[in-house]
Amino acid sequence: MPSVPTALMRPVAATLGAALLFVGLAATPSAVAGDPLAGAPVAGDCYNMTLDETNGNNEAGDPVPCGETHTTQVMAVKKLPSDLTWDSDATKVTTAIHNGCGRAYDDTVGSNLKIRYRTQYGVAWFVPTDDEKAQGGRWYSCHVVVRENDRLASLPEQLPKLRLPLPNSVARCVTGLKVYEFTTCADNHNWRSSYTAYVFKKPTDENISRAAKRICPRHVSSRAWLESALTISRAKFLVACYSKTRS
């Protein structure tokens, strides 16, 4: 571990305001007239999927009781905008799904990005199977997940909202001495997120480093600390500071 007071860990893999979107969209037949919710899950349903399974286009397995072990929960089931089909431009379809799931994400866990960036909350989204699309399915489902470094964490039956102090089950920590990986603070870790702040400058490495050196020493509980950053716009970013822990 470097003896200098900061070690950089950028860039941070985060989109949709720090929502981690695991799922792509494959080219599939357009929907025909029929049931737009053909095969759709129900908001509130829970699933026990693996991280690899959330990289697929369709939900894996059947719903499980939310009181049992589960790793995803359906935040919302929405329909494609009326001017889009599954044959529409993939970028437009993906953007519509990202926007819809982003609103569901805000409603489910909260929209305070300064706090959300201190968590491991993320989003996975799914679309109908080819058969369901052939029946008219135009829905997409938005699932909330909590990611550890190499797997999905089990979710509590009641999802914690974004408020401080954050419970270990969703709070963002960092593991590893040479390779930094984000995980929950319930997992083995070496650093814990202590503070976040907006910086109204261009998000260059130099500006991020300079901002972290100015902000972090006043908001961490250890002499050594880490930083990460999330780009908000061309002239705004969020810097996060991490304190050294014993666990």
Side-chain angles (χ1 to χ4, degrees):
M1 177 56 58
S3 58
V4 295
T6 180
L8 302 183
M9 46 179 190
R10 295 191 301 271
V12 175
T15 58
L16 190 66
L20 307 181
L21 299 174
F22 306 132
V23 183
L25 185 66
T28 50
S30 60
V32 297
D35 180 7
L37 293 177
V42 177
D45 279 355
C46 294
Y47 289 78
N48 193 26
M49 285 187 269
T50 65
L51 180 58
D52 284 344
E53 287 172 335
T54 62
N55 287 318
N57 281 341
N58 316 121
E59 278 99 352
D62 297 321
V64 299
C66 294
E68 297 181 3
T69 300
H70 63 284
T71 55
T72 85
Q73 184 171 341
V74 182
M75 298 181 290
V77 177
K78 302 192 175 191
K79 298 176 188 176
L80 283 180
S82 59
D83 61 336
L84 295 177
T85 73
W86 298 116
D87 279 339
S88 297
D89 179 79
T91 298
K92 291 182 179 179
V93 172
T94 301
T95 298
I97 294 174
H98 281 201
N99 290 340
C101 287
R103 289 189 291 271
Y105 191 46
D106 289 347
D107 292 341
T108 301
V109 302
S111 58
N112 188 325
L113 186 54
K114 286 181 65 177
I115 300 179
R116 194 158 73 194
Y117 190 50
R118 293 179 60 181
T119 77
Q120 283 298 97
Y121 271 131
V123 173
W125 53 263
F126 302 92
V127 299
T129 65
D130 288 353
D131 287 344
E132 291 162 351
K133 289 178 179 179
Q135 298 173 47
R138 291 178 49 81
W139 58 268
Y140 60 92
S141 62
C142 310
H143 293 233
V144 64
V145 299
V146 172
R147 182 169 179 170
E148 294 189 338
N149 58 332
D150 58 356
R151 62 186 181 273
L152 295 183
S154 295
L155 297 179
E157 188 170 358
Q158 294 296 323
L159 295 169
K161 291 284 190 176
L162 295 180
R163 60 176 62 93
L164 299 175
L166 290 163
N168 288 341
S169 59
V170 300
R172 172 169 287 177
C173 279
V174 179
T175 185
L177 296 177
K178 294 183 178 180
V179 178
Y180 303 122
E181 294 179 313
F182 291 130
T183 190
T184 69
C185 297
D187 196 11
N188 293 331
H189 62 275
N190 302 95
W191 310 84
R192 186 182 182 109
S193 176
S194 299
Y195 189 74
T196 50
Y198 286 114
V199 179
F200 295 88
K201 290 183 178 296
K202 186 176 181 179
T204 64
D205 283 350
E206 181 180 0
N207 284 342
I208 291 170
S209 179
R210 185 177 300 164
K213 290 176 181 177
R214 172 174 53 85
I215 294 168
C216 291
R218 296 180 284 116
H219 295 285
V220 293
S221 58
S222 57
R223 181 175 179 180
W225 48 271
L226 302 180
E227 68 185 72
S228 68
L230 175 69
T231 296
I232 307 298
S233 70
R234 294 180 180 179
K236 182 180 179 182
F237 61 89
L238 191 62
V239 66
C241 311
Y242 301 79
S243 300
K244 185 75 173 69
T245 67
R246 294 182 177 179
S247 57

mmCIF file of all heavy atoms in Angstrom, residues 175-220:
data_model
loop_
_atom_site.group_PDB
_atom_site.id
_atom_site.type_symbol
_atom_site.label_atom_id
_atom_site.label_comp_id
_atom_site.label_asym_id
_atom_site.label_seq_id
_atom_site.Cartn_x
_atom_site.Cartn_y
_atom_site.Cartn_z
ATOM 1 N N THR A 175 -12.027 -3.210 -1.477
ATOM 2 C CA THR A 175 -11.236 -4.348 -1.040
ATOM 3 C C THR A 175 -9.952 -4.411 -1.848
ATOM 4 O O THR A 175 -9.873 -3.875 -2.956
ATOM 5 C CB THR A 175 -12.021 -5.656 -1.185
ATOM 6 O OG1 THR A 175 -11.252 -6.734 -0.629
ATOM 7 C CG2 THR A 175 -12.332 -5.968 -2.636
ATOM 8 N N GLY A 176 -8.941 -5.071 -1.307
ATOM 9 C CA GLY A 176 -7.680 -5.258 -2.021
ATOM 10 C C GLY A 176 -6.627 -4.251 -1.610
ATOM 11 O O GLY A 176 -6.915 -3.119 -1.253
ATOM 12 N N LEU A 177 -5.377 -4.701 -1.649
ATOM 13 C CA LEU A 177 -4.260 -3.838 -1.313
ATOM 14 C C LEU A 177 -3.550 -3.324 -2.562
ATOM 15 O O LEU A 177 -2.996 -2.235 -2.565
ATOM 16 C CB LEU A 177 -3.252 -4.604 -0.437
ATOM 17 C CG LEU A 177 -3.783 -5.046 0.929
ATOM 18 C CD1 LEU A 177 -2.709 -5.858 1.660
ATOM 19 C CD2 LEU A 177 -4.178 -3.845 1.769
ATOM 20 N N LYS A 178 -3.571 -4.106 -3.628
ATOM 21 C CA LYS A 178 -2.913 -3.694 -4.860
ATOM 22 C C LYS A 178 -3.929 -3.392 -5.968
ATOM 23 O O LYS A 178 -3.736 -2.494 -6.763
ATOM 24 C CB LYS A 178 -1.934 -4.775 -5.328
ATOM 25 C CG LYS A 178 -0.748 -4.961 -4.371
ATOM 26 C CD LYS A 178 0.227 -5.983 -4.922
ATOM 27 C CE LYS A 178 1.432 -6.152 -4.001
ATOM 28 N NZ LYS A 178 2.397 -7.153 -4.514
ATOM 29 N N VAL A 179 -5.001 -4.188 -6.019
ATOM 30 C CA VAL A 179 -6.061 -3.968 -7.012
ATOM 31 C C VAL A 179 -7.316 -3.567 -6.258
ATOM 32 O O VAL A 179 -7.846 -4.338 -5.466
ATOM 33 C CB VAL A 179 -6.323 -5.240 -7.841
ATOM 34 C CG1 VAL A 179 -7.457 -4.993 -8.835
ATOM 35 C CG2 VAL A 179 -5.060 -5.670 -8.569
ATOM 36 N N TYR A 180 -7.773 -2.360 -6.491
ATOM 37 C CA TYR A 180 -8.926 -1.851 -5.759
ATOM 38 C C TYR A 180 -10.210 -2.270 -6.451
ATOM 39 O O TYR A 180 -10.384 -2.069 -7.641
ATOM 40 C CB TYR A 180 -8.864 -0.327 -5.657
ATOM 41 C CG TYR A 180 -7.602 0.171 -5.015
ATOM 42 C CD1 TYR A 180 -6.760 1.046 -5.689
ATOM 43 C CD2 TYR A 180 -7.245 -0.244 -3.733
ATOM 44 C CE1 TYR A 180 -5.590 1.499 -5.098
ATOM 45 C CE2 TYR A 180 -6.081 0.188 -3.147
ATOM 46 C CZ TYR A 180 -5.252 1.068 -3.827
ATOM 47 O OH TYR A 180 -4.091 1.506 -3.252
ATOM 48 N N GLU A 181 -11.128 -2.858 -5.677
ATOM 49 C CA GLU A 181 -12.421 -3.255 -6.184
ATOM 50 C C GLU A 181 -13.500 -2.788 -5.221
ATOM 51 O O GLU A 181 -13.350 -2.906 -4.003
ATOM 52 C CB GLU A 181 -12.506 -4.778 -6.341
ATOM 53 C CG GLU A 181 -11.567 -5.346 -7.395
ATOM 54 C CD GLU A 181 -11.674 -6.853 -7.500
ATOM 55 O OE1 GLU A 181 -11.663 -7.518 -6.439
ATOM 56 O OE2 GLU A 181 -11.767 -7.365 -8.615
ATOM 57 N N PHE A 182 -14.597 -2.302 -5.777
ATOM 58 C CA PHE A 182 -15.716 -1.900 -4.940
ATOM 59 C C PHE A 182 -16.473 -3.135 -4.465
ATOM 60 O O PHE A 182 -16.648 -4.101 -5.203
ATOM 61 C CB PHE A 182 -16.675 -0.998 -5.714
ATOM 62 C CG PHE A 182 -16.114 0.361 -6.028
ATOM 63 C CD1 PHE A 182 -16.171 0.867 -7.314
ATOM 64 C CD2 PHE A 182 -15.552 1.144 -5.039
ATOM 65 C CE1 PHE A 182 -15.668 2.118 -7.610
ATOM 66 C CE2 PHE A 182 -15.039 2.397 -5.314
ATOM 67 C CZ PHE A 182 -15.107 2.882 -6.610
ATOM 68 N N THR A 183 -16.968 -3.093 -3.237
ATOM 69 C CA THR A 183 -17.789 -4.154 -2.680
ATOM 70 C C THR A 183 -18.653 -3.540 -1.587
ATOM 71 O O THR A 183 -18.542 -2.346 -1.311
ATOM 72 C CB THR A 183 -16.924 -5.300 -2.133
ATOM 73 O OG1 THR A 183 -17.750 -6.424 -1.798
ATOM 74 C CG2 THR A 183 -16.131 -4.871 -0.911
ATOM 75 N N THR A 184 -19.516 -4.331 -0.985
ATOM 76 C CA THR A 184 -20.273 -3.804 0.151
ATOM 77 C C THR A 184 -19.408 -3.861 1.403
ATOM 78 O O THR A 184 -18.446 -4.617 1.482
ATOM 79 C CB THR A 184 -21.551 -4.613 0.405
ATOM 80 O OG1 THR A 184 -21.184 -5.912 0.899
ATOM 81 C CG2 THR A 184 -22.388 -4.750 -0.851
ATOM 82 N N CYS A 185 -19.782 -3.085 2.384
ATOM 83 C CA CYS A 185 -19.029 -3.074 3.637
ATOM 84 C C CYS A 185 -19.340 -4.292 4.501
ATOM 85 O O CYS A 185 -18.686 -4.511 5.525
ATOM 86 C CB CYS A 185 -19.295 -1.786 4.404
ATOM 87 S SG CYS A 185 -18.740 -0.305 3.509
ATOM 88 N N ALA A 186 -20.324 -5.109 4.081
ATOM 89 C CA ALA A 186 -20.561 -6.383 4.750
ATOM 90 C C ALA A 186 -19.561 -7.437 4.285
ATOM 91 O O ALA A 186 -19.377 -8.455 4.946
ATOM 92 C CB ALA A 186 -21.985 -6.864 4.477
ATOM 93 N N ASP A 187 -18.908 -7.183 3.154
ATOM 94 C CA ASP A 187 -17.892 -8.074 2.609
ATOM 95 C C ASP A 187 -16.540 -7.683 3.189
ATOM 96 O O ASP A 187 -16.384 -6.618 3.804
ATOM 97 C CB ASP A 187 -17.878 -7.932 1.084
ATOM 98 C CG ASP A 187 -17.142 -9.056 0.380
ATOM 99 O OD1 ASP A 187 -16.816 -10.055 1.049
ATOM 100 O OD2 ASP A 187 -16.895 -8.937 -0.829
ATOM 101 N N ASN A 188 -15.515 -8.514 3.007
ATOM 102 C CA ASN A 188 -14.168 -8.149 3.443
ATOM 103 C C ASN A 188 -13.733 -6.882 2.719
ATOM 104 O O ASN A 188 -13.915 -6.753 1.506
ATOM 105 C CB ASN A 188 -13.188 -9.283 3.137
ATOM 106 C CG ASN A 188 -13.456 -10.517 3.967
ATOM 107 O OD1 ASN A 188 -13.965 -10.428 5.080
ATOM 108 N ND2 ASN A 188 -13.139 -11.680 3.430
ATOM 109 N N HIS A 189 -13.152 -5.943 3.452
ATOM 110 C CA HIS A 189 -12.784 -4.675 2.830
ATOM 111 C C HIS A 189 -11.631 -4.026 3.591
ATOM 112 O O HIS A 189 -11.303 -4.423 4.714
ATOM 113 C CB HIS A 189 -13.988 -3.722 2.795
ATOM 114 C CG HIS A 189 -14.517 -3.361 4.146
ATOM 115 N ND1 HIS A 189 -15.427 -4.151 4.823
ATOM 116 C CD2 HIS A 189 -14.268 -2.293 4.961
ATOM 117 C CE1 HIS A 189 -15.710 -3.591 5.989
ATOM 118 N NE2 HIS A 189 -15.016 -2.467 6.099
ATOM 119 N N ASN A 190 -11.029 -3.023 2.949
ATOM 120 C CA ASN A 190 -9.913 -2.297 3.538
ATOM 121 C C ASN A 190 -10.173 -0.802 3.661
ATOM 122 O O ASN A 190 -9.451 -0.106 4.382
ATOM 123 C CB ASN A 190 -8.643 -2.501 2.702
ATOM 124 C CG ASN A 190 -8.259 -3.965 2.566
ATOM 125 O OD1 ASN A 190 -8.620 -4.614 1.588
ATOM 126 N ND2 ASN A 190 -7.545 -4.500 3.536
ATOM 127 N N TRP A 191 -11.167 -0.308 2.923
ATOM 128 C CA TRP A 191 -11.473 1.113 2.909
ATOM 129 C C TRP A 191 -12.981 1.301 2.880
ATOM 130 O O TRP A 191 -13.696 0.493 2.300
ATOM 131 C CB TRP A 191 -10.876 1.785 1.664
ATOM 132 C CG TRP A 191 -9.428 1.489 1.435
ATOM 133 C CD1 TRP A 191 -8.901 0.397 0.813
ATOM 134 C CD2 TRP A 191 -8.316 2.296 1.829
ATOM 135 N NE1 TRP A 191 -7.533 0.469 0.783
ATOM 136 C CE2 TRP A 191 -7.141 1.629 1.405
ATOM 137 C CE3 TRP A 191 -8.199 3.520 2.484
ATOM 138 C CZ2 TRP A 191 -5.867 2.136 1.621
ATOM 139 C CZ3 TRP A 191 -6.938 4.038 2.696
ATOM 140 C CH2 TRP A 191 -5.784 3.353 2.277
ATOM 141 N N ARG A 192 -13.467 2.376 3.471
ATOM 142 C CA ARG A 192 -14.906 2.650 3.500
ATOM 143 C C ARG A 192 -15.170 4.068 3.016
ATOM 144 O O ARG A 192 -14.453 5.008 3.381
ATOM 145 C CB ARG A 192 -15.465 2.493 4.916
ATOM 146 C CG ARG A 192 -16.986 2.635 4.988
ATOM 147 C CD ARG A 192 -17.504 2.526 6.420
ATOM 148 N NE ARG A 192 -18.954 2.606 6.438
ATOM 149 C CZ ARG A 192 -19.764 1.591 6.701
ATOM 150 N NH1 ARG A 192 -19.267 0.404 6.983
ATOM 151 N NH2 ARG A 192 -21.085 1.755 6.691
ATOM 152 N N SER A 193 -16.216 4.218 2.219
ATOM 153 C CA SER A 193 -16.601 5.543 1.742
ATOM 154 C C SER A 193 -16.997 6.425 2.917
ATOM 155 O O SER A 193 -17.826 6.042 3.737
ATOM 156 C CB SER A 193 -17.766 5.433 0.763
ATOM 157 O OG SER A 193 -18.208 6.703 0.368
ATOM 158 N N SER A 194 -16.386 7.612 2.987
ATOM 159 C CA SER A 194 -16.611 8.511 4.114
ATOM 160 C C SER A 194 -17.293 9.811 3.727
ATOM 161 O O SER A 194 -17.948 10.437 4.569
ATOM 162 C CB SER A 194 -15.270 8.859 4.789
ATOM 163 O OG SER A 194 -14.645 7.710 5.293
ATOM 164 N N TYR A 195 -17.140 10.227 2.472
ATOM 165 C CA TYR A 195 -17.638 11.558 2.120
ATOM 166 C C TYR A 195 -17.696 11.698 0.608
ATOM 167 O O TYR A 195 -16.887 11.100 -0.113
ATOM 168 C CB TYR A 195 -16.706 12.631 2.694
ATOM 169 C CG TYR A 195 -17.224 14.046 2.575
ATOM 170 C CD1 TYR A 195 -18.249 14.501 3.393
ATOM 171 C CD2 TYR A 195 -16.686 14.915 1.632
ATOM 172 C CE1 TYR A 195 -18.721 15.809 3.280
ATOM 173 C CE2 TYR A 195 -17.158 16.225 1.513
ATOM 174 C CZ TYR A 195 -18.179 16.658 2.346
ATOM 175 O OH TYR A 195 -18.648 17.950 2.237
ATOM 176 N N THR A 196 -18.660 12.474 0.127
ATOM 177 C CA THR A 196 -18.725 12.829 -1.284
ATOM 178 C C THR A 196 -19.012 14.320 -1.406
ATOM 179 O O THR A 196 -19.664 14.912 -0.538
ATOM 180 C CB THR A 196 -19.838 12.056 -2.028
ATOM 181 O OG1 THR A 196 -21.063 12.180 -1.293
ATOM 182 C CG2 THR A 196 -19.479 10.593 -2.200
ATOM 183 N N ALA A 197 -18.528 14.921 -2.490
ATOM 184 C CA ALA A 197 -18.747 16.352 -2.718
ATOM 185 C C ALA A 197 -18.786 16.628 -4.209
ATOM 186 O O ALA A 197 -18.050 16.013 -4.993
ATOM 187 C CB ALA A 197 -17.639 17.176 -2.064
ATOM 188 N N TYR A 198 -19.653 17.560 -4.606
ATOM 189 C CA TYR A 198 -19.677 18.024 -5.991
ATOM 190 C C TYR A 198 -18.536 19.007 -6.218
ATOM 191 O O TYR A 198 -18.214 19.824 -5.342
ATOM 192 C CB TYR A 198 -20.996 18.715 -6.312
ATOM 193 C CG TYR A 198 -22.167 17.776 -6.458
ATOM 194 C CD1 TYR A 198 -23.222 17.793 -5.556
ATOM 195 C CD2 TYR A 198 -22.226 16.880 -7.520
ATOM 196 C CE1 TYR A 198 -24.302 16.934 -5.696
ATOM 197 C CE2 TYR A 198 -23.306 16.018 -7.668
ATOM 198 C CZ TYR A 198 -24.336 16.051 -6.750
ATOM 199 O OH TYR A 198 -25.398 15.198 -6.899
ATOM 200 N N VAL A 199 -17.937 18.927 -7.388
ATOM 201 C CA VAL A 199 -16.894 19.865 -7.789
ATOM 202 C C VAL A 199 -17.285 20.403 -9.161
ATOM 203 O O VAL A 199 -17.548 19.628 -10.087
ATOM 204 C CB VAL A 199 -15.517 19.189 -7.854
ATOM 205 C CG1 VAL A 199 -14.448 20.198 -8.292
ATOM 206 C CG2 VAL A 199 -15.155 18.561 -6.509
ATOM 207 N N PHE A 200 -17.341 21.722 -9.271
ATOM 208 C CA PHE A 200 -17.792 22.350 -10.510
ATOM 209 C C PHE A 200 -16.596 22.752 -11.369
ATOM 210 O O PHE A 200 -16.259 23.920 -11.513
ATOM 211 C CB PHE A 200 -18.693 23.539 -10.189
ATOM 212 C CG PHE A 200 -19.973 23.131 -9.502
ATOM 213 C CD1 PHE A 200 -20.029 23.016 -8.117
ATOM 214 C CD2 PHE A 200 -21.096 22.811 -10.254
ATOM 215 C CE1 PHE A 200 -21.198 22.619 -7.490
ATOM 216 C CE2 PHE A 200 -22.267 22.410 -9.630
ATOM 217 C CZ PHE A 200 -22.319 22.314 -8.245
ATOM 218 N N LYS A 201 -15.946 21.733 -11.911
ATOM 219 C CA LYS A 201 -14.821 21.901 -12.812
ATOM 220 C C LYS A 201 -14.861 20.781 -13.841
ATOM 221 O O LYS A 201 -15.573 19.786 -13.673
ATOM 222 C CB LYS A 201 -13.483 21.868 -12.057
ATOM 223 C CG LYS A 201 -13.217 23.081 -11.169
ATOM 224 C CD LYS A 201 -11.851 22.990 -10.527
ATOM 225 C CE LYS A 201 -11.543 24.207 -9.672
ATOM 226 N NZ LYS A 201 -11.468 25.433 -10.478
ATOM 227 N N LYS A 202 -14.075 20.927 -14.886
ATOM 228 C CA LYS A 202 -13.973 19.876 -15.892
ATOM 229 C C LYS A 202 -13.371 18.628 -15.250
ATOM 230 O O LYS A 202 -12.356 18.719 -14.536
ATOM 231 C CB LYS A 202 -13.092 20.345 -17.050
ATOM 232 C CG LYS A 202 -13.050 19.374 -18.221
ATOM 233 C CD LYS A 202 -12.223 19.956 -19.368
ATOM 234 C CE LYS A 202 -12.183 19.006 -20.553
ATOM 235 N NZ LYS A 202 -11.402 19.556 -21.685
ATOM 236 N N PRO A 203 -13.974 17.452 -15.445
ATOM 237 C CA PRO A 203 -13.502 16.244 -14.758
ATOM 238 C C PRO A 203 -12.244 15.635 -15.382
ATOM 239 O O PRO A 203 -12.254 14.537 -15.925
ATOM 240 C CB PRO A 203 -14.703 15.302 -14.875
ATOM 241 C CG PRO A 203 -15.398 15.729 -16.119
ATOM 242 C CD PRO A 203 -15.224 17.223 -16.193
ATOM 243 N N THR A 204 -11.139 16.357 -15.303
ATOM 244 C CA THR A 204 -9.852 15.837 -15.751
ATOM 245 C C THR A 204 -9.146 15.174 -14.576
ATOM 246 O O THR A 204 -9.472 15.421 -13.409
ATOM 247 C CB THR A 204 -8.969 16.965 -16.301
ATOM 248 O OG1 THR A 204 -8.675 17.882 -15.224
ATOM 249 C CG2 THR A 204 -9.669 17.711 -17.425
ATOM 250 N N ASP A 205 -8.145 14.336 -14.864
ATOM 251 C CA ASP A 205 -7.378 13.705 -13.782
ATOM 252 C C ASP A 205 -6.775 14.753 -12.856
ATOM 253 O O ASP A 205 -6.780 14.594 -11.628
ATOM 254 C CB ASP A 205 -6.261 12.841 -14.368
ATOM 255 C CG ASP A 205 -6.771 11.511 -14.912
ATOM 256 O OD1 ASP A 205 -7.951 11.185 -14.664
ATOM 257 O OD2 ASP A 205 -5.993 10.808 -15.572
ATOM 258 N N GLU A 206 -6.244 15.819 -13.437
ATOM 259 C CA GLU A 206 -5.615 16.861 -12.624
ATOM 260 C C GLU A 206 -6.627 17.537 -11.711
ATOM 261 O O GLU A 206 -6.361 17.732 -10.513
ATOM 262 C CB GLU A 206 -4.960 17.899 -13.530
ATOM 263 C CG GLU A 206 -4.241 19.018 -12.763
ATOM 264 C CD GLU A 206 -3.598 20.030 -13.691
ATOM 265 O OE1 GLU A 206 -3.706 19.873 -14.929
ATOM 266 O OE2 GLU A 206 -2.978 20.972 -13.164
ATOM 267 N N ASN A 207 -7.793 17.899 -12.234
ATOM 268 C CA ASN A 207 -8.802 18.567 -11.418
ATOM 269 C C ASN A 207 -9.359 17.650 -10.336
ATOM 270 O O ASN A 207 -9.625 18.087 -9.206
ATOM 271 C CB ASN A 207 -9.941 19.078 -12.294
ATOM 272 C CG ASN A 207 -9.564 20.320 -13.071
ATOM 273 O OD1 ASN A 207 -8.604 21.007 -12.738
ATOM 274 N ND2 ASN A 207 -10.307 20.608 -14.125
ATOM 275 N N ILE A 208 -9.539 16.359 -10.673
ATOM 276 C CA ILE A 208 -10.040 15.406 -9.682
ATOM 277 C C ILE A 208 -9.028 15.225 -8.558
ATOM 278 O O ILE A 208 -9.364 15.248 -7.374
ATOM 279 C CB ILE A 208 -10.368 14.062 -10.354
ATOM 280 C CG1 ILE A 208 -11.595 14.215 -11.265
ATOM 281 C CG2 ILE A 208 -10.611 12.974 -9.316
ATOM 282 C CD1 ILE A 208 -11.848 13.016 -12.152
ATOM 283 N N SER A 209 -7.755 15.049 -8.930
ATOM 284 C CA SER A 209 -6.715 14.874 -7.917
ATOM 285 C C SER A 209 -6.594 16.107 -7.024
ATOM 286 O O SER A 209 -6.492 16.001 -5.798
ATOM 287 C CB SER A 209 -5.382 14.578 -8.603
ATOM 288 O OG SER A 209 -4.355 14.415 -7.655
ATOM 289 N N ARG A 210 -6.627 17.268 -7.636
ATOM 290 C CA ARG A 210 -6.511 18.507 -6.871
ATOM 291 C C ARG A 210 -7.693 18.675 -5.920
ATOM 292 O O ARG A 210 -7.531 19.049 -4.754
ATOM 293 C CB ARG A 210 -6.432 19.685 -7.835
ATOM 294 C CG ARG A 210 -6.177 21.038 -7.161
ATOM 295 C CD ARG A 210 -6.050 22.118 -8.224
ATOM 296 N NE ARG A 210 -4.944 21.830 -9.134
ATOM 297 C CZ ARG A 210 -4.797 22.412 -10.313
ATOM 298 N NH1 ARG A 210 -5.688 23.292 -10.756
ATOM 299 N NH2 ARG A 210 -3.747 22.116 -11.074
ATOM 300 N N ALA A 211 -8.907 18.369 -6.394
ATOM 301 C CA ALA A 211 -10.091 18.495 -5.547
ATOM 302 C C ALA A 211 -10.040 17.505 -4.387
ATOM 303 O O ALA A 211 -10.373 17.843 -3.245
ATOM 304 C CB ALA A 211 -11.350 18.269 -6.375
ATOM 305 N N ALA A 212 -9.617 16.264 -4.676
ATOM 306 C CA ALA A 212 -9.540 15.260 -3.620
ATOM 307 C C ALA A 212 -8.529 15.652 -2.545
ATOM 308 O O ALA A 212 -8.792 15.501 -1.341
ATOM 309 C CB ALA A 212 -9.170 13.912 -4.222
ATOM 310 N N LYS A 213 -7.393 16.175 -2.946
ATOM 311 C CA LYS A 213 -6.384 16.591 -1.967
ATOM 312 C C LYS A 213 -6.867 17.747 -1.118
ATOM 313 O O LYS A 213 -6.450 17.908 0.033
ATOM 314 C CB LYS A 213 -5.090 16.963 -2.691
ATOM 315 C CG LYS A 213 -4.363 15.763 -3.286
ATOM 316 C CD LYS A 213 -3.135 16.182 -4.084
ATOM 317 C CE LYS A 213 -2.445 14.970 -4.679
ATOM 318 N NZ LYS A 213 -1.277 15.343 -5.517
ATOM 319 N N ARG A 214 -7.751 18.550 -1.671
ATOM 320 C CA ARG A 214 -8.310 19.671 -0.908
ATOM 321 C C ARG A 214 -9.442 19.225 0.012
ATOM 322 O O ARG A 214 -9.555 19.720 1.135
ATOM 323 C CB ARG A 214 -8.813 20.736 -1.884
ATOM 324 C CG ARG A 214 -9.589 21.881 -1.246
ATOM 325 C CD ARG A 214 -9.919 22.962 -2.254
ATOM 326 N NE ARG A 214 -10.596 22.461 -3.435
ATOM 327 C CZ ARG A 214 -11.911 22.280 -3.527
ATOM 328 N NH1 ARG A 214 -12.684 22.539 -2.484
ATOM 329 N NH2 ARG A 214 -12.451 21.836 -4.638
ATOM 330 N N ILE A 215 -10.254 18.273 -0.446
ATOM 331 C CA ILE A 215 -11.474 17.910 0.275
ATOM 332 C C ILE A 215 -11.275 16.744 1.232
ATOM 333 O O ILE A 215 -11.714 16.786 2.395
ATOM 334 C CB ILE A 215 -12.590 17.567 -0.737
ATOM 335 C CG1 ILE A 215 -12.976 18.814 -1.536
ATOM 336 C CG2 ILE A 215 -13.811 16.993 -0.033
ATOM 337 C CD1 ILE A 215 -13.857 18.510 -2.745
ATOM 338 N N CYS A 216 -10.630 15.675 0.765
ATOM 339 C CA CYS A 216 -10.639 14.421 1.517
ATOM 340 C C CYS A 216 -9.961 14.462 2.877
ATOM 341 O O CYS A 216 -10.490 13.870 3.837
ATOM 342 C CB CYS A 216 -10.041 13.306 0.662
ATOM 343 S SG CYS A 216 -11.086 12.844 -0.756
ATOM 344 N N PRO A 217 -8.791 15.101 3.055
ATOM 345 C CA PRO A 217 -8.153 15.050 4.368
ATOM 346 C C PRO A 217 -9.036 15.542 5.515
ATOM 347 O O PRO A 217 -8.873 15.116 6.660
ATOM 348 C CB PRO A 217 -6.926 15.959 4.190
ATOM 349 C CG PRO A 217 -6.606 15.851 2.733
ATOM 350 C CD PRO A 217 -7.943 15.790 2.055
ATOM 351 N N ARG A 218 -10.007 16.401 5.217
ATOM 352 C CA ARG A 218 -10.895 16.934 6.263
ATOM 353 C C ARG A 218 -12.087 16.023 6.542
ATOM 354 O O ARG A 218 -12.842 16.280 7.485
ATOM 355 C CB ARG A 218 -11.402 18.321 5.850
ATOM 356 C CG ARG A 218 -10.300 19.368 5.734
ATOM 357 C CD ARG A 218 -10.843 20.718 5.328
ATOM 358 N NE ARG A 218 -11.189 20.791 3.911
ATOM 359 C CZ ARG A 218 -12.410 20.974 3.430
ATOM 360 N NH1 ARG A 218 -13.441 21.086 4.262
ATOM 361 N NH2 ARG A 218 -12.624 21.043 2.129
ATOM 362 N N HIS A 219 -12.253 14.966 5.728
ATOM 363 C CA HIS A 219 -13.474 14.161 5.851
ATOM 364 C C HIS A 219 -13.205 12.668 5.932
ATOM 365 O O HIS A 219 -14.114 11.868 5.723
ATOM 366 C CB HIS A 219 -14.383 14.448 4.657
ATOM 367 C CG HIS A 219 -14.882 15.853 4.616
ATOM 368 N ND1 HIS A 219 -15.866 16.325 5.455
ATOM 369 C CD2 HIS A 219 -14.510 16.903 3.839
ATOM 370 C CE1 HIS A 219 -16.114 17.598 5.198
ATOM 371 N NE2 HIS A 219 -15.286 17.982 4.228
ATOM 372 N N VAL A 220 -11.977 12.274 6.235
ATOM 373 C CA VAL A 220 -11.653 10.864 6.421
ATOM 374 C C VAL A 220 -11.148 10.666 7.836
ATOM 375 O O VAL A 220 -10.748 11.614 8.522
ATOM 376 C CB VAL A 220 -10.609 10.376 5.393
ATOM 377 C CG1 VAL A 220 -11.194 10.393 3.988
ATOM 378 C CG2 VAL A 220 -9.336 11.209 5.461
#
